[in-house]
Amino acid sequence: MKAVFYQGAGGPEVVELRDVPAPQPRSGEVIVDVVAAGLNRADVQQRRGVYPPPPGASDVPGLEVSGRISSVGNGVEGWKAGDEVCALLSGGGYTERVAVPAGQLLPVPPGVSLLEAASLPETAATVFSNLFMAAGVQAGESVLIHGGAGGIGTMAVQMVRAFGGIPMVTAGSQAKLDVVRPLGAQLLINYREEDFVEKVKEATGGRGADVILDVIGAKYLQRNLDALATAGRLVVIGLQGGAKAELDLGKLMAKRGAVIGTTLRARPAEEKSAIVRAVREHVWPLVASGDIKVQVGRTFPLEQAAAAHEYFDSGDHVGKILLTVGE
């Protein structure tokens, strides 16, 4: 079967397609014949050599897929060959067939195509686990979402709005903000032209954001703290702007604030299964009802994975980029 690998670290030129043996299910696993795989920033960071797979994970990139179960390992209950599913992975999704722990499977939500379902597991699990399980977002709270037009951002805006929060976003162009506006964002900030700290303070009567979901890291640390409300929570899930910065602990203490740093990929399978169960219980009904809509920006065949990475690197995309397999 075909699978994507990175020939060293670098730009899209290191992306290559190889022939590899097809996997067999171990106890507690199923084999999914992949229809589509989501392209996420973690895949790009792995390509650049700064985010290696966790121990034991596949070197093949890809943290989410959709497809059909073709075989079931020992000890698996509730799933059978032929079921249409999507799945959260630690890696291995850029391929034609992948082994998945049964606890990381999700049914395809009603009203969502099998292909579109590949855009959901990683984004839904990341947003729900960070904003609602870790930061405890409550109805009526304001949530600043950096990178609001990407896959994580568009999911976060919709989820915050669906649970009664007030989503506020930053993005780098008016065109991207125009995409986010109908999803429910109540404050739209072009970070290239506006100071997000000033805009958030203005919109909240000087109070600041109750929660900030940050993909930038070091570059935004101090400004995020300035934008944070008393008893606010800053959740850092990305390091696009670097990993090291000074933190004014006095200001953090005065605000009684919290800085939470998380990753999803390296969590133990038991934690991922718990997150997947929570997503199925709390988020899937919102997808099925249309309160949360799939946001697929563009698709590429698996054979054009390098072109998909080049498009991601351009910064022009909104929503999710998918790699398609066989359909």
Side-chain angles (χ1 to χ4, degrees):
M1 69 175 191
K2 302 292 185 183
V4 170
F5 287 83
Y6 299 145
Q7 185 60 39
E13 72 279 356
V14 306
V15 178
E16 66 176 22
L17 203 62
R18 299 180 191 171
D19 289 308
V20 296
Q24 298 299 318
R26 296 177 295 184
S27 179
E29 292 182 339
V30 307
I31 300 300
V32 174
D33 291 345
V34 177
V35 168
L39 193 164
N40 291 285
R41 185 166 295 278
D43 306 328
V44 173
Q45 295 296 80
Q46 180 180 335
R47 190 201 76 211
R48 293 171 176 164
V50 297
Y51 191 37
S58 172
D59 289 333
V60 175
L63 303 182
E64 58 187 347
V65 298
S66 62
R68 300 178 181 89
I69 295 175
S70 59
S71 59
V72 176
N74 293 331
V76 173
E77 298 181 355
W79 303 100
K80 65 182 185 304
D83 285 347
E84 294 190 343
V85 297
C86 52
L88 178 69
L89 309 173
S90 298
Y94 288 17
T95 187
E96 294 179 324
R97 185 172 290 175
V98 65
V100 182
Q104 293 168 215
L105 291 169
L106 286 156
V108 175
V112 176
S113 73
L114 184 55
L115 184 147
E116 291 174 328
S119 70
L120 291 172
E122 198 272 344
T123 48
T126 295
V127 172
F128 191 80
S129 64
N130 283 289
L131 289 184
F132 296 92
M133 297 174 75
V137 170
Q138 301 294 312
E141 289 193 315
S142 58
V143 182
L144 176 62
I145 301 156
H146 290 302
I152 294 293
T154 53
M155 174 61 73
V157 168
Q158 295 185 88
M159 204 179 292
V160 169
R161 185 255 309 146
F163 284 107
I166 303 167
M168 308 180 293
V169 303
T170 66
S173 70
Q174 187 59 49
K176 289 186 175 183
L177 293 175
D178 288 342
V179 170
V180 180
R181 186 190 305 273
L183 301 181
Q186 296 189 28
L187 177 65
L188 304 164
I189 305 166
N190 184 335
Y191 67 80
R192 298 186 191 278
E193 300 176 357
E194 301 170 304
D195 185 327
F196 72 80
V197 178
E198 292 181 1
K199 287 294 183 179
V200 167
K201 290 290 188 69
E202 179 183 312
T204 59
R207 184 171 183 276
D210 295 298
V211 176
I212 300 176
L213 185 66
D214 178 50
V215 296
I216 303 299
K219 181 179 177 181
Y220 274 10
L221 181 59
Q222 188 57 51
R223 295 171 68 202
N224 279 333
L225 183 54
D226 291 341
L228 203 63
T230 299
R233 291 86 75 198
L234 167 60
V235 187
V236 181
I237 62 170
L239 301 172
Q240 297 177 40
K244 295 182 179 180
E246 290 189 2
L247 175 63
D248 186 338
L249 292 174
K251 183 175 290 187
L252 182 68
M253 294 168 67
K255 288 193 172 186
R256 304 191 303 280
V259 178
I260 304 167
T262 75
T263 61
L264 178 61
R265 185 180 192 183
R267 294 190 189 210
E270 295 79 10
E271 290 187 23
K272 289 182 181 175
S273 295
I275 292 170
V276 166
R277 289 194 298 270
V279 166
R280 184 171 182 175
E281 178 181 355
H282 297 287
V283 180
W284 251 222
L286 297 171
V287 177
S289 69
D291 287 333
I292 293 177
K293 299 183 185 302
V294 175
Q295 302 295 316
V296 175
R298 189 170 172 184
T299 64
F300 293 81
L302 185 67
E303 295 79 8
Q304 296 179 19
H309 274 250
E310 184 175 1
Y311 178 60
F312 187 100
D313 285 357
S314 74
D316 293 335
H317 70 284
V318 295
K320 289 299 291 283
I321 299 171
L322 300 182
L323 300 175
T324 60
V325 182
E327 292 199 4

